[in-house]
Amino acid sequence: MIQFLENVRAGIVEPHALIRAESTKRSYNLQLCKHRDIESVHTAGVNALDVDTMEGKYLLSGSADGSLHIHDLQNFTGSPHFTSKLICKVDRNLRTAHRYSVECVQWYPFDSGLFITSGMDKQLKIWDTNCMKPADTFSFEGRVFQHHMSRIATRNCLVAVASSVNHILLVDLKSGSCTHELRGHSSSTLTCRWSPREEYLLATGSCDNKVLLWDVRAAKCCLKSLDQHNGKGRSVSEATNTAHDGYVNGLCFTHDGLFLLSYGTDHRLRLWSTYSGHNEMVNYGKIPNDTKKCMQFDITVSSDPKLVYVPSEGNIFMYEIQSGVKVNTLLGHYNCVNSCIYHPFYHELYSAGNDRNVLIWTADHCQGAVYEEHLKSQNQKKEPFERRTLLVRRNVMADTWSSDEEG
Amino acid sequence: MPTPLDSNLSRQVGKYVETLTHTGQKVLDKDVLKKLKNICKISDGYVEHAYHLLIYQLEKAHAEIRFSAFQICNELFRRSHFFRELLVSNMQHVMELTCETSSDRLLPPPRSVALSLKRMALQCIQEWNKEYGDGYKKLQLGYNFLKHCKKVDFNALQIENSAEQVRQQEQERRQNLINQEKLKKIMIEINEMQPEITNTLTALENCICLLFPTPEDFFIQDGNETETKSKISDEKPSPSNCSGTKQTEDQNKNEEQDLDQKDRLSELIESARKVEEKKNIVKNDSDVPSISRSKDDDDMEEDNSEFGSETSDSEEDIDFREYGILNSKYSIEVNVNTDSTSIKETADNDAIFENAKDMYTLINNRYLPTVKKWIQVITKASGSSDQLKKILDLKNSLEKATKKYTELKCHTVPNDANGSSDSDFEEVEEKDGYEKMAQEDVPLSGLSAGTVFGLKKFNTKTENQSSWNIWSEDNSEMDPTSARSTLSVLKSVNSAMPKSPKKENMDHTAASCSKHENTPTRGCSENEKVNEEEPVPSTSKDNSVYISKESQRAKLLAAAPKVPFDIDLYHWEDDKIQAPTMVAVRAEGSRFWYTSLEELEEVPVPDGIPSLRTRVIEFTGKFEPVRWACRAPLPSGKLCPRRDRYKCPFHGPIVSRDETGKCTKPDDAQRLAKEEEKKTKECPDWQDPQLLEDIKHATGVDLRMPEKKKRKGSKKKKQSKQSKCPGLTDISAKQNTAYTRLSKKIFKRGAMKRVARSMDAADHKRFRDKYGDQFHYMYNTV
């Protein structure tokens, strides 16, 4: 890394290359973070996570009991050992809180003063972060599984809502009303995602095994229905081809918006080209996935072979997107993982599951050494008592084979 | 891993893990474990190998294997960092396999071991977390997960399903509510019923008091009299005694005193003649403890009898009557006879009895059960303690009252018996003095009647001054006036007589147990002698005449079996019994529907007469359980567990065998061996090997029966499989329960099909019966 920095300074390599190399290295080496924690305050399984896109400072989480929590991720203590504190929360007993499980949370992409949550109480709430009160509430006919707001849309403020009713609703925050109904699915919709490239491009997945692409300017019918067999399957018509052989419960665009990943209860992950709408036919193998609700998974931002982190039951699998090679399995949760979110600045992963934990996954390999050094420097300042704790810490990690005679 | 693993060592690791996990023991074998650790110490490669092997063992569906495997894991976990990392990275899986964290993956059988595995695993995880928690993040997470999400109480070490917990709490709460509701209801009930119960209690108590005064009442009332009486008794023992008691008795009508006079000595007849007054064994009621005490000696314990006997011998010829007192050495024994004390039921206290009985039934049938129920409910609902105490007190008083009543009841004598004896007594007065005495005694001893008669009798005796000996009270059976004798006279005059001498003898011996004559025969002869000597009584002479005859008869009677009255006795002397008849049922059906009386023929019941002559005697022999098993060796290696008395249906007559099933007697063994040999040799003639050989030779068909080795073979196979890991509990064996066997039969495809077919047919038939004649359903019913 030092070498890289030197090269960048000398102008031998582009700064981009440094970023790419470093983020690739980090995203490949994720493991459970030993030094940093998210303060455990959840009283039920955590269903949804989001990190604000402006500063990357706040982590928003929604629980199955309807409560919302916001943690501060930034560490200004000077010590690698850090626990992210809870800064505010919406208790489930509050009148304004969601009555049932919160299924999806999202920060307003351009300001952390606003966030949107939705849940099983068939409501979508727009919250004012500063006073922690809902600024507006939309009620729907069906339970809301996911909503999404475009990160690049500058001219409109549309929130797409996927609910147990079989059409996608578009809510305009400016007018405070539901502007569109996208009809095309024949069963309840589980997931919806705006393209990070095209302002009006929306992808939706549903229980009818289909993934539809929409141009919301022409809401009369969908742009394309993705076909897993690329037209070579048995069904020829657009109306009957499917993206998965099970419910589609997760969608994610790559950061550049060129590819779309879909995740289904047929235990498959599929890669689609958004340009052509073709299945890229990447085989990721079988990924156990049985939940009948939205699974939130994420893709690395600037690494070169892009990686996807897919929650599957209690584990998180890491795949290279283009090749489908499984890089690693992140083991840490003791129950089903519901949500993974990749921090775009820190190159870290946050994951939440039904075991009420929010875990931080980082590339700790260099931080470990830093931490040791830090502790050492601390020890020199402090009393020998501290040193003993260090010794104990080391002992914990050491082998303790008994000597030969004892066996 | 830097260096490739030595395959030999790896194999050894596998072997050790296998042996350690398949012992089924709770404690690991130290030596093998040491060897395993030694290998793992060499490099992390072996640790990893061992880890994979252990996980493989942990996944096996046998709690004992998992238990041992987890123990090894614990050992390695505490040694190797690498093992810790591996295990912690897979922690959720390990927890699932050992702590039953997911409800749909329960621990395998046997259940008891599974529970102890769970307990041990939780304990280990707790210890690990304590020791290594800050080095291994995921371990901490796991611990917290167990603690917070799975609600493991690490002090109690139990995983409680939270839903289950909630359910239990809810149920408890509901139960509590119900209990409280019940408690309220019962409180109202108690308040309503308590006065009623207390009223009943006091009423019953009063009844009992009226019938049977307490000693306090008694003494308060008769304080003066008892004193005077005791004074009198100093001078004139027997009459005053009687009069005193009589007085008290007269005043307390129901107070009963049973004065028995018993002879102690063999010379009691002579002494009776001389002194005319012997020792009185006064049977007194418990409530009148010291009416008649001994004159001089205050000790009238049981040993007095011997003492008295000695003294009486020496002082026979002194006439104490002249001084108005008996010999100072004499003692009077007071037997406080609580058994025979009784209250007679008369017309006067009849109402009280009735009343008491009603109360008793009321208390017993109604109040006691309800009070018990109250107590139960109050204890369940954890009601206030003073309330409970109150109820308990109430229950105790109720029980006391019922007990008192039952005691009273057993003292009570039914009315009519007394009445009859009363009348007897009246009649007796006119008769000869001696006989009269005897008569009077009858009800006293036999029926334990009221003291009244005993006292009166005593009075009369003293008045008459007749030389009546006390033991003559035992002659009761001979007296024609006694209830018993009259009863016996009803049958035959002779039959009543024999009993008496025998009884007399018995009593005599009983009384003179401490004296020189002990044998009944001697007693008899003495009696005779005495009777002959005696001038006055004539009946006693008759007695003696009977005695020789009767004693023999008595012996015979004693030996004769007693048979309850039955139909055969009813027809005993009836030589010509009419056979019972019955009305013949005719072809038309009804036995009432007949045209004329002539048609009503009565037909004698077949076997009618014999049925009246026979007596059915049920076998009353004692059942003795068979204490031995057959114990013939079975092909399975076990011993035959059948317990037959004489003969096992499989192994023939029971032969004594030792623990291993071998015959203890050599000749038995020989015999059995012979039989066995015979059996093996024996085969049906169509199975004659020679013949079969010929047939095979001629036709090429082997007609030999296949040997019945199949079952044995399968057994052996099973055994060999089991013997591979003999320490483990056989789980599959448990599957072979009655339920599975039955379900195998019931849910067999064929059986199901058959049942379905027949049910379909039944349905079809019903349908056809109902709608078959309707046009609409014409085509359906075919």
Side-chain angles (χ1 to χ4, degrees):
Chain A
M1 188 173 168
I2 306 297
Q3 180 70 37
F4 239 114
L5 280 173
E6 206 53 40
N7 290 343
V8 169
R9 192 176 295 168
I12 301 169
V13 288
E14 281 179 50
H16 266 299
L18 170 67
I19 293 170
R20 198 187 307 131
E22 190 56 27
S23 77
T24 309
K25 195 167 79 185
R26 286 186 187 176
S27 50
Y28 267 84
N29 290 309
L30 287 190
Q31 49 179 295
L32 194 59
C33 183
K34 285 189 179 118
H35 312 304
R36 287 169 51 211
D37 280 321
I38 303 278
E39 191 184 356
S40 142
V41 287
H42 299 280
T43 49
V46 187
N47 279 341
L49 289 176
D50 197 27
V51 179
D52 77 311
T53 44
M54 299 307 287
E55 296 170 278
K57 186 179 176 183
Y58 301 110
L59 178 75
L60 175 63
S61 56
S63 301
D65 62 353
S67 58
L68 301 166
H69 299 88
I70 298 175
H71 287 87
D72 186 357
L73 294 174
Q74 279 183 355
N75 176 11
F76 293 118
T77 57
S79 156
H81 205 79
F82 173 67
T83 303
S84 295
K85 288 275 176 289
L86 176 79
I87 48 175
C88 47
K89 72 178 226 178
V90 176
D91 195 79
R92 71 195 179 104
N93 296 322
L94 280 180
R95 202 166 39 81
T96 52
H98 281 283
R99 283 185 53 221
Y100 305 127
S101 157
V102 176
E103 291 298 307
C104 186
V105 294
Q106 196 190 8
W107 287 102
Y108 182 61
F110 310 108
D111 188 3
S112 59
L114 197 74
F115 62 89
I116 308 166
T117 63
S118 61
M120 289 298 188
D121 59 351
K122 307 180 179 178
Q123 284 188 331
L124 177 84
K125 293 189 183 215
I126 294 127
W127 297 80
D128 184 342
T129 320
N130 295 313
C131 54
M132 288 307 278
K133 276 180 189 159
D136 202 353
T137 304
F138 297 91
S139 290
F140 304 103
E141 283 169 38
R143 303 185 300 277
V144 182
F145 291 114
Q146 198 181 26
H147 65 265
H148 195 239
M149 199 172 176
S150 174
R151 294 182 183 202
I152 52 160
T154 47
R155 269 169 286 176
N156 61 39
C157 270
L158 287 177
V159 182
V161 178
S163 66
S164 56
V165 186
N166 57 8
H167 39 257
I168 303 286
L169 293 165
L170 297 185
V171 174
D172 192 352
L173 293 188
K174 279 182 185 162
S175 67
S177 65
C178 177
T179 54
H180 294 55
E181 271 186 11
L182 307 179
R183 294 166 184 264
H185 286 294
S186 55
S187 181
S188 56
T189 49
L190 291 177
T191 175
C192 58
R193 280 279 173 168
W194 291 98
S195 159
R197 191 180 191 90
E198 308 289 339
E199 195 177 334
Y200 301 106
L201 186 67
L202 178 72
T204 59
S206 149
C207 286
D208 60 1
N209 306 353
K210 282 185 187 174
V211 176
L212 300 183
L213 293 179
W214 305 83
D215 185 341
V216 295
R217 292 167 297 189
K220 211 157 73 176
C221 68
C222 65
L223 209 60
K224 190 172 176 61
S225 171
L226 301 184
D227 180 16
Q228 57 180 324
H229 305 294
N230 288 334
K232 288 171 190 135
R234 267 188 287 170
S235 69
V236 204
S237 92
E238 178 100 325
T240 52
N241 54 25
T242 55
H244 281 272
D245 295 326
Y247 301 167
V248 182
N249 63 355
L251 282 175
C252 189
F253 281 97
T254 55
H255 199 67
D256 50 18
L258 292 176
F259 295 98
L260 173 71
L261 272 167
S262 67
Y263 190 28
T265 54
D266 56 348
H267 313 305
R268 298 285 167 210
L269 194 64
R270 296 196 204 283
L271 181 71
W272 312 89
S273 155
T274 41
Y275 181 68
S276 62
H278 280 306
N279 186 356
E280 293 290 305
M281 296 295 186
V282 181
N283 183 15
Y284 298 94
K286 187 179 174 182
I287 311 169
N289 173 24
D290 284 315
T291 33
K292 301 285 183 284
K293 57 176 197 174
C294 174
M295 296 290 276
Q296 194 183 3
F297 63 99
D298 212 348
I299 297 170
T300 56
V301 175
S302 47
S303 64
D304 187 12
K306 288 191 182 64
L307 296 179
V308 63
Y309 304 103
V310 188
S312 163
E313 293 176 343
N315 310 318
I316 301 166
F317 294 117
M318 282 163 68
Y319 291 97
E320 283 181 10
I321 285 183
Q322 296 299 338
S323 62
V325 172
K326 188 186 199 171
V327 177
N328 200 357
T329 305
L330 304 179
L331 300 160
H333 281 284
Y334 285 89
N335 214 328
C336 278
V337 185
N338 292 321
S339 173
C340 288
I341 192 99
Y342 188 76
H343 197 294
F345 307 146
Y346 298 164
H347 312 292
E348 295 173 339
L349 186 75
Y350 302 97
S351 66
N354 282 340
D355 59 352
R356 306 179 191 180
N357 285 328
V358 178
L359 299 183
I360 307 177
W361 306 86
T362 53
D364 254 347
H365 60 283
C366 38
Q367 278 191 8
V370 173
Y371 185 57
E372 295 294 306
E373 248 168 56
H374 167 77
L375 280 180
K376 251 180 223 168
S377 64
Q378 292 283 310
N379 271 334
Q380 277 158 9
K381 289 177 214 158
K382 284 180 189 166
E383 299 114 83
F385 173 75
E386 293 291 318
R387 198 172 297 149
R388 207 175 305 139
T389 61
L390 175 71
L391 280 176
V392 169
R393 227 194 85 73
R394 293 210 155 184
N395 280 344
V396 165
M397 306 293 286
D399 281 358
T400 48
W401 292 110
S402 35
S403 58
D404 268 14
E405 10 344 331
E406 288 168 47
Chain B
M1 36 220 98
T3 49
L5 298 182
D6 182 0
S7 64
N8 205 10
L9 280 179
S10 304
R11 217 172 299 134
Q12 271 186 12
V13 168
K15 206 181 77 194
Y16 292 146
V17 168
E18 184 83 15
T19 50
L20 278 176
T21 50
H22 283 72
T23 53
Q25 300 295 317
K26 290 252 168 187
V27 185
L28 296 176
D29 185 356
K30 271 187 186 155
D31 297 333
V32 183
L33 187 65
K34 203 180 273 181
K35 280 175 199 162
L36 178 67
K37 282 194 283 190
N38 271 332
I39 296 174
C40 287
K41 203 162 73 172
I42 298 168
S43 110
D44 282 350
Y46 297 109
V47 173
E48 194 178 0
H49 184 59
Y51 165 77
H52 288 302
L53 288 170
L54 284 173
I55 291 293
Y56 175 70
Q57 298 294 350
L58 275 180
E59 281 166 352
K60 286 205 170 156
H62 197 298
E64 282 170 4
I65 296 176
R66 286 195 190 184
F67 190 87
S68 303
F70 194 78
Q71 276 179 317
I72 304 170
C73 283
N74 187 26
E75 290 293 328
L76 293 179
F77 191 90
R78 289 169 187 283
R79 299 290 188 288
S80 164
H81 165 66
F82 190 69
F83 189 84
R84 263 170 256 162
E85 284 213 318
L86 286 170
L87 193 76
V88 163
S89 70
N90 201 11
M91 199 69 192
Q92 74 272 40
H93 187 52
V94 174
M95 276 187 188
E96 220 167 65
L97 292 175
T98 56
C99 310
E100 213 168 30
T101 47
S102 73
S103 51
D104 49 331
R105 286 185 70 176
L106 298 178
L107 291 183
R111 191 65 194 155
S112 61
V113 186
L115 286 177
S116 59
L117 164 68
K118 198 158 105 177
R119 185 168 277 269
M120 184 197 58
L122 289 174
Q123 203 166 359
C124 281
I125 288 170
Q126 191 185 18
E127 280 165 19
W128 293 351
N129 181 54
K130 210 163 134 197
E131 274 178 57
Y132 308 103
D134 31 341
Y136 303 89
K137 181 73 182 280
K138 206 180 159 189
L139 186 60
Q140 261 180 336
L141 287 175
Y143 179 73
N144 288 333
F145 170 71
L146 285 178
K147 205 169 173 181
H148 295 125
C149 299
K150 289 291 166 193
K151 307 277 186 224
V152 176
D153 180 3
F154 274 99
N155 297 318
L157 286 182
Q158 262 178 342
I159 289 191
E160 300 242 0
N161 197 346
S162 56
E164 179 76 5
Q165 241 173 346
V166 167
R167 199 184 57 75
Q168 270 176 6
Q169 277 172 2
E170 177 64 19
Q171 198 178 2
E172 228 167 75
R173 197 183 59 80
R174 216 175 291 160
Q175 191 60 45
N176 239 351
L177 270 182
I178 291 168
N179 282 346
Q180 289 299 331
E181 201 63 22
K182 259 192 198 165
L183 188 66
K184 254 187 220 165
K185 241 189 239 168
I186 276 197
M187 279 309 176
I188 295 165
E189 206 182 317
I190 286 171
N191 288 337
E192 276 174 4
M193 272 184 82
Q194 204 163 14
E196 208 177 313
I197 291 176
T198 42
N199 281 346
T200 319
L201 262 180
T202 43
L204 180 61
E205 219 124 276
N206 287 339
C207 283
I208 291 171
C209 271
L210 280 173
L211 290 170
F212 201 90
T214 56
E216 293 87 47
D217 294 345
F218 180 76
F219 279 118
I220 288 162
Q221 277 183 4
D222 309 320
N224 305 329
E225 275 168 321
T226 42
E227 259 182 49
T228 54
K229 171 183 59 188
S230 60
K231 253 184 244 162
I232 294 160
S233 67
D234 276 336
E235 293 143 353
K236 258 207 271 170
S238 38
S240 68
N241 210 348
C242 304
S243 63
T245 43
K246 211 188 171 189
Q247 274 173 335
T248 57
E249 183 267 325
D250 288 335
Q251 281 180 344
N252 309 288
K253 238 182 156 190
N254 308 306
E255 174 57 42
E256 305 294 324
Q257 296 177 344
D258 196 355
L259 282 178
D260 274 12
Q261 299 179 322
K262 265 193 190 166
D263 178 25
R264 291 253 193 86
L265 314 172
S266 65
E267 306 95 334
L268 88 170
I269 302 151
E270 291 147 84
S271 59
R273 228 190 284 143
K274 277 177 189 167
V275 190
E276 300 181 295
E277 174 60 70
K278 284 277 112 180
K279 274 167 254 159
N280 299 336
I281 294 163
V282 183
K283 277 201 179 170
N284 224 338
D285 192 10
S286 55
D287 293 340
V288 202
S290 60
I291 298 165
S292 52
R293 304 210 107 202
S294 71
K295 275 99 244 166
D296 306 294
D297 302 343
D298 274 7
D299 53 330
M300 9 169 244
E301 319 305 329
E302 286 88 308
D303 51 340
N304 276 355
S305 53
E306 286 113 67
F307 179 66
S309 68
E310 284 161 31
T311 53
S312 62
D313 282 312
S314 61
E315 280 149 345
E316 261 170 38
D317 35 14
I318 306 163
D319 194 357
F320 282 94
R321 294 293 291 174
E322 288 174 9
Y323 305 96
I325 49 166
L326 287 174
N327 184 8
S328 63
K329 295 283 175 58
Y330 278 145
S331 65
I332 295 176
E333 195 174 293
V334 180
N335 278 347
V336 180
N337 193 344
T338 48
D339 300 330
S340 62
T341 51
S342 51
I343 305 168
K344 77 175 167 184
E345 199 175 326
T346 62
D348 297 336
N349 60 13
D350 191 31
I352 304 174
F353 264 109
E354 195 84 339
N355 205 358
K357 200 183 164 197
D358 285 350
M359 306 273 188
Y360 172 73
T361 44
L362 187 65
I363 286 175
N364 220 21
N365 294 347
R366 173 121 184 269
Y367 294 151
L368 263 182
T370 43
V371 167
K372 274 175 191 163
K373 203 183 77 192
W374 288 348
I375 290 170
Q376 243 177 5
V377 170
I378 289 176
T379 42
K380 240 186 214 168
S382 60
S384 59
S385 58
D386 43 325
Q387 187 64 253
L388 183 65
K389 213 177 146 201
K390 232 161 84 186
I391 301 292
L392 279 174
D393 285 345
L394 194 63
K395 188 193 155 202
N396 282 342
S397 51
L398 279 174
E399 271 172 355
K400 220 186 274 172
T402 49
K403 205 180 151 204
K404 234 183 197 175
Y405 179 74
T406 44
E407 271 171 13
L408 182 76
K409 198 73 196 167
C410 64
H411 296 167
T412 317
V413 171
N415 204 3
D416 35 335
N418 270 343
S420 70
S421 65
D422 246 330
S423 60
D424 275 358
F425 174 66
E426 300 303 337
E427 283 167 28
V428 161
E429 288 251 61
E430 283 135 62
K431 281 193 180 176
D432 179 295
Y434 184 79
E435 274 189 348
K436 191 196 307 167
M437 311 301 228
Q439 290 158 11
E440 283 159 18
D441 279 330
V442 176
L444 287 173
S445 60
L447 301 170
S448 71
T451 351
V452 202
F453 316 107
L455 288 168
K456 273 187 183 168
K457 169 211 75 190
F458 196 63
N459 286 341
T460 50
K461 182 194 71 189
T462 43
E463 280 160 23
N464 292 348
Q465 299 281 312
S466 62
S467 61
W468 177 82
N469 36 12
I470 288 160
W471 51 265
S472 67
E473 64 165 6
D474 296 320
N475 292 352
S476 57
E477 294 300 320
M478 288 186 339
D479 297 325
T481 42
S482 74
R484 247 191 245 172
S485 57
T486 41
L487 270 174
S488 52
V489 161
L490 277 176
K491 283 196 170 179
S492 68
V493 186
N494 288 342
S495 63
M497 300 306 202
K499 275 183 201 162
S500 49
K502 197 185 101 200
K503 217 187 170 200
E504 175 188 277
N505 291 342
M506 301 267 285
D507 284 342
H508 197 84
T509 45
S512 61
C513 55
S514 57
K515 274 170 282 146
H516 45 272
E517 53 163 82
N518 283 327
T519 50
T521 45
R522 238 203 111 175
C524 264
S525 60
E526 188 118 76
N527 263 342
E528 283 173 62
K529 250 190 270 166
V530 164
N531 286 333
E532 277 159 56
E533 276 174 274
E534 264 182 85
V536 189
S538 56
T539 41
S540 62
K541 257 193 180 173
D542 297 340
N543 265 354
S544 58
V545 176
Y546 283 128
I547 282 166
S548 54
K549 229 197 283 170
E550 299 307 325
S551 63
Q552 207 174 7
R553 206 191 144 89
K555 266 183 213 161
L556 285 174
L557 272 177
K562 281 179 188 165
V563 181
F565 190 70
D566 205 351
I567 191 78
D568 62 326
L569 284 183
Y570 183 78
H571 294 292
W572 189 254
E573 292 185 328
D574 199 359
D575 288 332
K576 288 172 246 164
I577 307 175
Q578 281 275 318
T581 55
M582 59 182 189
V583 179
V585 180
R586 279 144 331 137
E588 294 92 275
S590 173
R591 47 179 282 218
F592 303 110
W593 193 262
Y594 49 86
T595 47
S596 66
L597 264 176
E598 286 83 65
E599 277 183 36
L600 190 69
E601 302 168 347
E602 288 194 347
V603 182
V605 177
D607 300 336
I609 296 167
S611 76
L612 294 178
R613 288 267 185 227
T614 50
R615 168 182 286 266
V616 178
I617 299 170
E618 272 145 19
F619 174 68
T620 52
K622 226 178 184 178
F623 172 71
E624 277 178 40
V626 182
R627 272 170 294 138
W628 53 83
C630 169
R631 289 214 280 214
L634 296 174
S636 67
K638 286 180 190 162
L639 301 179
C640 176
R642 282 192 61 94
R643 288 172 171 273
D644 296 290
R645 200 173 292 276
Y646 305 113
K647 190 179 174 188
C648 175
F650 303 113
H651 306 102
I654 304 292
V655 172
S656 64
R657 292 172 191 269
D658 61 1
E659 294 298 310
T660 55
K662 277 177 198 150
C663 296
T664 44
K665 285 178 199 159
D667 50 329
D668 274 338
Q670 269 180 9
R671 188 172 50 79
L672 284 176
K674 247 182 219 168
E675 269 175 25
E676 187 74 10
E677 210 177 321
K678 221 164 123 190
K679 217 182 220 175
T680 49
K681 268 187 190 169
E682 186 182 275
C683 56
D685 45 358
W686 55 271
Q687 276 281 296
D688 182 26
Q690 196 66 42
L691 177 74
L692 290 178
E693 197 75 3
D694 289 345
I695 290 173
K696 195 184 173 187
H697 200 72
T699 62
V701 182
D702 191 1
L703 287 176
R704 241 182 309 159
M705 291 290 284
E707 282 180 45
K708 286 194 262 178
K709 282 274 169 72
K710 206 176 165 191
R711 208 167 137 207
K712 265 187 200 169
S714 68
K715 269 249 168 74
K716 238 176 224 168
K717 216 168 38 182
K718 223 184 236 171
Q719 268 182 339
S720 70
K721 199 180 172 189
Q722 185 60 26
S723 68
K724 225 194 273 173
C725 35
L728 293 180
T729 315
D730 191 7
I731 316 172
S732 58
K734 258 186 198 160
Q735 302 299 324
N736 189 19
T737 56
Y739 177 82
T740 52
R741 287 194 300 272
L742 272 178
S743 63
K744 209 193 260 172
K745 279 219 171 112
I746 291 169
F747 300 118
K748 213 164 48 179
R749 258 179 78 85
M752 296 278 275
K753 250 186 200 167
R754 205 173 55 238
V755 170
R757 208 184 306 127
S758 57
M759 281 177 79
D760 276 352
D763 270 356
H764 188 75
K765 185 172 177 291
R766 206 181 319 143
F767 185 71
R768 200 184 49 211
D769 289 350
K770 228 174 177 178
Y771 304 115
D773 52 347
Q774 292 182 22
F775 177 74
H776 271 299
Y777 303 97
M778 209 172 83
Y779 293 106
N780 297 336
T781 54
V782 177

